[in-house]
């Protein structure tokens, strides 16, 4: 899995983090120092990038954590199935694949889109 390690203190809202082996976007980040000799703790509230589930994480700020490497790519809609899927062509590699459309979004052939890709997972932004 394409990840890199960073310290928890280097995380920010809007960046990505792996929680339970799932890539997540950080919605809230807060730190607290419990006492005179205790180390600071960070609390992270995040939402899965591809599944949308909420997850929480609480660790010391000097702990190492994995951060996913997610690529943002450009694509073009080749066709739509009339429902909730579209066939998309990557504009760099010309690979074609099927993606689920986000709720409330309709697309036409030849529309250019932006999507996120991590290994075999893809999502229209």
């Amino acid at each position: 899995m394409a990840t890199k390690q960073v310290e928890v203190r280097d995380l920010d809202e809007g960046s990505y983090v792996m929680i339970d082996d799932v890539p997540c976007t950080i919605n809230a980040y807060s730190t607290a120092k419990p006492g005179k000799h205790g180390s600071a703790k960070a609390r992270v509230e995040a939402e899965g990038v591809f599944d949308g589930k909420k997850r929480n994480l609480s660790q010391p700020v000097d702990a190492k954590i994995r951060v996913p490497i997610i690529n943002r790519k450009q694509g073009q809609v080749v066709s739509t199935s009339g429902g909730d899927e579209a066939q998309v062509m990557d504009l760099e590699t010309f690979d074609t694949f099927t993606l689920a459309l986000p709720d409330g979004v309709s697309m036409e052939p030849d529309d250019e889109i932006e999507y996120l890709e991590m290994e075999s997972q893809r999502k229209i932004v």
Side-chain angles (χ1 to χ4, degrees), residues 49-112:
V49 173
F50 299 105
D51 62 5
K53 291 183 181 176
K54 292 187 177 184
R55 293 176 175 85
N56 293 317
L57 173 76
S58 180
Q59 289 202 341
V61 294
D62 58 349
K64 298 277 188 178
I65 192 164
R66 293 185 309 144
V67 174
I69 299 171
I70 298 176
N71 297 319
R72 186 175 289 260
K73 294 186 166 186
Q74 298 287 322
Q76 182 178 15
V77 176
V78 176
S79 66
T80 59
S81 63
D84 55 350
E85 290 184 341
Q87 189 172 18
V88 176
M89 177 179 68
D90 187 300
L91 292 179
E92 290 180 14
T93 63
F94 305 110
D95 290 338
T96 58
F97 44 85
T98 303
L99 289 177
L101 294 175
D103 292 336
V105 174
S106 63
M107 295 191 177
E108 300 294 325
D110 297 333
D111 284 350
E112 290 195 11

Side-chain angles (χ1 to χ4, degrees), residues 11-16 25-30 45:
L11 298 175
D12 289 323
E13 290 183 17
S15 62
Y16 299 116
T25 303
I26 297 173
N27 294 332
Y29 176 87
S30 62
E45 294 178 16

Side-chain angles (χ1 to χ4, degrees), residues 6-34:
V6 299
E7 288 188 353
V8 173
R9 76 179 75 211
D10 296 330
L11 298 175
D12 289 323
E13 290 183 17
S15 62
Y16 299 116
V17 66
M18 294 292 287
I19 299 176
D20 299 332
D21 287 332
V22 176
C24 298
T25 303
I26 297 173
N27 294 332
Y29 176 87
S30 62
T31 58
K33 189 163 181 169

Side-chain angles (χ1 to χ4, degrees), residues 33-39:
K33 189 163 181 169
K36 185 176 179 181
H37 299 291
S39 63

